[in-house]
Amino acid sequence: MIKQWFKSGAPWVWLNAAAVSVCLIFVVGLLGLVVVRGAVHFWPSQVAEFSYQEDNGQIQTLAGEIVDTSVTGAVMAKAAGYKMADDEDSLVQHLIKIGNRDIHGMDFRWIQVRNIKQQRNPKDLMVVERREWGNFYGFLSEVKESGTTIAVGKEAQSVLTEKLAVTLGIYEEIARLEKKEIGAINYGLERLRLKQKSLQLKNRWDDAAEKELAAETADYQAQYQKYQVQLLDLYQQIKRDTAVFKTADGNQKEIPLAKVVRVYQPNAMNLFEKIGHYVSKVVEFLTDEPREANTEGGIFPAIFGTVMMVIIMSIIVTPFGVIAAVYMREYAKQGFVTQLIRIAVNNLAGVPSVVYGVFGLGFFVYILGGNIDRLFYPEAAPAPVFGTPGILWASITLALLTLPVVIVSTEEGLARIPKSIREGSLALGATKLETLWRTVLPMASPAMMTGLILAVARAAGEVAPLMLVGVVKLAPSLPLDGNFPFLHLDRKFMHLGFHIYDVGFQSPNVEAARPLVYATSLLLVLVIVALNISAIAIRNHLREKYRALEG
């Protein structure tokens, strides 16, 4: 009976189903963990004040957020050096985000629950998100303007809110002037410098050219001086206001509002206020630039770099993959050489991605980019233009990496088209090229989109090759801006995958970086899903469009 059951093949079907089920459970579990940990990161947690007895018997007052709890058995706790009473069967510890790094020298601390003498959640305890040194936890004492106290006590909070709103507006104006206006001037001056050097190399530098460039330079300098005056005035205004806070243990700290991003009282918030805070934090995460060694702020440059790289890669890989597949399926003589090429293409899909990165660095960056610099940008020497890693070379490298997927998928799509359709088109007087362009390729387009979907899914998550051909920890400017030629393919860029690696493994503050790793991982999954859904929608539309013709 059992022998017949094995011969029927049913055990292997069930074994396969079990393996697929286990994989799905692991995938769903991993995604669930990422979603929960990533989404909760932005919710305003309660901030507690603890009266805590140290090991030496001294009572200390701490304030912070409980971010984790550890339960250790008595045996393991004793082995680790903790003193355990006879009636204690476990050691419970809280990981507290105490903030105030500039005072305590650390952001996080483990405390033992058994040593907590008192715990409360005062409503007037404030969380101050700073641009440097992380969060500050304390009680507002007074607000100052130009060193003079203007509000104390209960009215200080409303004054702080008004002053902070004004300061944030000034900060945004300073950022706009420095990045957009002055950045454009610096970019223009650099282009004039390169233009002058180019004319000198071509022996075309004369009095007329010198006067023309001098006039343009003077115009830029005049604009720069105007913006400098505005900046000096704004810097004077932004340095004017400060706030004094008292920590839980009684220390006083005066914080300039120019260094503050947000101030809130989580213990006094109702549900709607917490939802509003959550939304504002998510928007900040999606639209702002990173700060504090990428452990705070937003990741918009990484989102932009990832999406732009995938788009450029798709534009490059699709025509090359389709042309190669069409030639091998429709034009090449089917024989040993063609079969050998197919084997080579399939083997390319199994090459480690870092090998593509080394090839891209050696061939695209140093050889191709270096020759482009020598031929077209001699005035920039010795500084490289295209002879250095950038988003163009990263996109081409990933296009080469994903090319086998597009070729194989397109070939399979071409092979599924009935031979009668080609013969019918030729019988009606169409040439082979017209048949291919108007009949075969449209019908094979769903298969092409399938290859593109697989290519996008792989390229968006790759990190190893990008570390060699263009991705950086923090890019000073986006590859796309308002300066001519607007799309700067030579610039380095940020990437979500590398951002996860950098924050998770290179961050000096591991505990602060951990929730951001989950949040960024969740966003990377969502970006890949969004790109795939867009491609799938296009593929389904094409499939429905040509379904009747296939039938």
Side-chain angles (χ1 to χ4, degrees), residues 425-448:
S425 177
L426 294 172
L428 292 173
T431 63
K432 186 172 183 178
L433 180 61
E434 290 173 336
T435 300
L436 181 66
W437 183 254
R438 298 190 178 186
T439 304
V440 176
L441 285 182
M443 293 180 64
S445 56
M448 299 177 197

Side-chain angles (χ1 to χ4, degrees), residues 73-75 77-78 82-91 114:
V75 176
K78 289 179 180 179
Y82 293 101
K83 295 180 179 180
M84 302 292 294
D86 295 336
D87 58 342
E88 288 183 303
D89 57 356
S90 62
L91 177 67
R114 62 183 181 178

Side-chain angles (χ1 to χ4, degrees), residues 32-274:
L33 176 65
V34 171
V35 169
V36 171
R37 294 289 184 91
V40 171
H41 170 58
F42 305 105
W43 189 261
S45 303
Q46 293 286 303
V47 182
E49 186 181 65
F50 304 92
S51 292
Y52 184 72
Q53 183 177 1
E54 301 286 354
D55 293 337
N56 58 8
Q58 183 180 0
I59 302 296
Q60 184 179 4
T61 304
L62 303 172
E65 306 174 28
I66 300 176
V67 297
D68 196 6
T69 301
S70 171
V71 180
T72 308
V75 176
M76 294 295 296
K78 289 179 180 179
Y82 293 101
K83 295 180 179 180
M84 302 292 294
D86 295 336
D87 58 342
E88 288 183 303
D89 57 356
S90 62
L91 177 67
V92 182
Q93 299 182 92
H94 289 323
L95 179 62
I96 309 297
K97 184 178 181 180
I98 59 175
N100 303 6
R101 192 193 316 156
D102 46 344
I103 296 177
H104 302 303
M106 57 183 178
D107 284 315
F108 294 85
R109 178 181 174 181
W110 285 98
I111 64 173
Q112 302 174 25
V113 174
R114 62 183 181 178
N115 291 343
I116 297 176
K117 301 303 179 183
Q118 185 182 10
Q119 178 179 342
R120 64 191 189 96
N121 299 325
K123 292 187 176 181
D124 57 341
L125 184 57
M126 284 189 168
V127 179
V128 183
E129 289 187 22
R130 299 182 289 181
R131 303 187 190 278
E132 299 175 351
W133 299 104
N135 286 358
F136 185 91
Y137 301 97
F139 302 90
L140 179 62
S141 298
E142 55 184 310
V143 179
K144 294 183 178 181
E145 181 179 324
S146 302
T148 304
T149 301
I150 58 174
V152 295
K154 294 183 178 180
E155 66 176 9
Q157 183 176 349
S158 59
V159 174
L160 174 63
T161 303
E162 295 174 2
K163 291 289 185 180
L164 182 58
V166 174
T167 302
L168 290 176
I170 297 174
Y171 185 87
E172 291 178 359
E173 180 63 15
I174 290 174
R176 186 189 69 82
L177 288 176
E178 289 181 339
K179 285 194 170 185
K180 186 176 180 181
E181 307 298 344
I182 295 181
I185 291 173
N186 291 333
Y187 184 78
L189 289 172
E190 177 63 15
R191 287 179 63 86
L192 289 179
R193 185 188 71 83
L194 294 176
K195 183 178 180 180
Q196 176 182 343
K197 191 173 180 181
S198 176
L199 292 174
Q200 290 172 345
L201 291 174
K202 297 176 182 177
N203 295 322
R204 293 168 54 189
W205 180 252
D206 52 20
D207 293 340
E210 184 177 1
K211 289 180 181 179
E212 181 183 353
L213 263 68
E216 294 184 28
T217 302
D219 183 51
Y220 279 127
Q221 293 290 354
Q223 296 180 45
Y224 180 79
Q225 292 298 328
K226 182 186 70 173
Y227 291 129
Q228 277 294 105
V229 172
Q230 296 181 28
L231 280 176
L232 288 174
D233 180 56
L234 291 173
Y235 274 118
Q236 290 297 326
Q237 296 180 41
I238 203 171
K239 293 178 181 178
R240 183 178 54 196
D241 300 324
T242 61
V244 180
F245 293 89
K246 183 177 70 172
T247 63
D249 55 358
N251 290 321
Q252 296 278 348
K253 178 68 177 180
E254 185 172 352
I255 302 177
L257 295 189
K259 302 294 185 182
V260 176
V261 178
R262 183 183 289 105
V263 176
Y264 61 98
Q265 295 175 308
N267 299 338
M269 285 181 171
N270 57 37
L271 178 61
F272 296 103
E273 289 173 335
K274 289 186 176 182

